[in-house]
């Protein structure tokens, strides 16, 4: 079965610091990759996604992620974080081997940005 | 407004007392899914549905049932809840059943089973 690892469980940064959150998945083949964000008290919402094409994808609020197939990774980055980026971030994968209807999420990374 | 709604938002119940959490979407989406979120475990998929009358198990289906009689509704049923089902539950929908794209999530239902 597919599994998704987010190694950073809790990250604390000062405003303007750069951010990189790791995401690795276990099973190769053709996959779709997503990053979702959950701001305090709000619904989960999509940050960005990768289906095919350019492995560097840009999302909302200045976030980007790079798909590296050889490393089974889809790390999330932002050059300069703001206090409003404080949230929990989830990486998700669908595709092989469970099929495109089954979605596997990582355990999440809580980001705290200090003003 | 396009949205996924869940009811109730909060529920405290006792072991063994059957309950249903409703989920409804107004976007005419084919795909709907239920997840539970637990600290340190992230979101885990319980059941999903690719269209009316088509449902399948996710990673943690034990103790849950679902039905999809109408496109807009996807209730989650706990026939005999147990304390290990205490969790935060999310419903989500997506517009394609065959290759899931962006999922739109409901606000969550916090369930406590005593």
């Amino acid at each position: 079965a597919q599994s998704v690892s987010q190694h950073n469980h809790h990250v604390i940064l000062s405003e303007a610091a750069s951010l990189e959150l790791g995401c690795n998945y276990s099973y190769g083949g053709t996959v779709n990759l997503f990053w979702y964000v959950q701001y305090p008290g709000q619904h989960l919402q999509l940050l960005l996604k990768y289906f095919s094409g350019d492995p560097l994808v840009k999302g909302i609020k200045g976030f980007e992620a790079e798909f590296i197939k050889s490393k089974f990774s889809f790390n999330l980055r932002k050059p300069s974080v703001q206090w409003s980026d404080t949230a929990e971030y989830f990486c998700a994968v669908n595709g092989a081997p469970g099929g495109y209807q089954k979605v596997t999420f990582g355990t999440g990374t809580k980001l705290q940005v200090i003003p | 407004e396009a949205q996924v709604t869940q009811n109730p938002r909060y529920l405290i119940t006792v072991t063994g007392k059957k309950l249903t959490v409703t989920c409804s979407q107004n976007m005419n989406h084919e795909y709907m899914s239920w997840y539970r979120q637990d600290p340190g475990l992230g979101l885990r998929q319980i059941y999903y549905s690719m269209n009316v009358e088509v449902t399948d198990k996710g990673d943690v289906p034990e103790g849950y049932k679902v039905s999809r009689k109408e496109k807009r509704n996807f209730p989650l049923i706990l026939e005999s809840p147990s304390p290990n089902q205490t969790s935060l539950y999310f419903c989500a929908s997506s517009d394609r059943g065959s290759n899931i794209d962006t999922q739109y999530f409901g606000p969550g239902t916090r369930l406590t089973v005593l």
Side-chain angles (χ1 to χ4, degrees), chain A residues 71-86:
Chain A
K71 294 185 178 180
F72 297 83
S73 71
F74 190 56
N75 293 354
L76 181 71
R77 300 195 292 246
K78 186 171 184 178
S80 176
V81 295
Q82 301 172 312
W83 176 79
S84 58
D85 293 324
T86 294

Side-chain angles (χ1 to χ4, degrees), chain B residues 36-99:
Chain B
R36 59 178 288 174
Q37 182 181 12
D38 301 289
L41 297 176
L43 279 84
R44 293 179 292 167
Q45 195 170 33
I46 303 171
Y47 270 94
Y48 60 90
S49 169
M50 290 180 281
N51 216 322
V52 176
E53 303 291 1
V54 182
T55 64
D56 209 344
K57 296 176 181 178
D59 291 323
V60 288
E62 295 78 18
Y64 304 95
K65 283 176 57 177
V66 292
S67 69
R68 188 92 181 272
K69 294 185 170 58
E70 305 165 282
K71 201 170 187 180
R72 62 183 293 126
N73 296 323
F74 190 46
L76 180 70
I77 303 155
L78 285 72
E79 295 267 2
S80 182
S82 62
N84 65 11
Q85 292 178 299
T86 292
S87 188
L88 179 58
Y89 290 87
F90 289 101
C91 180
S93 71
S94 182
D95 65 354
R96 286 188 294 171
S98 57
N99 185 1

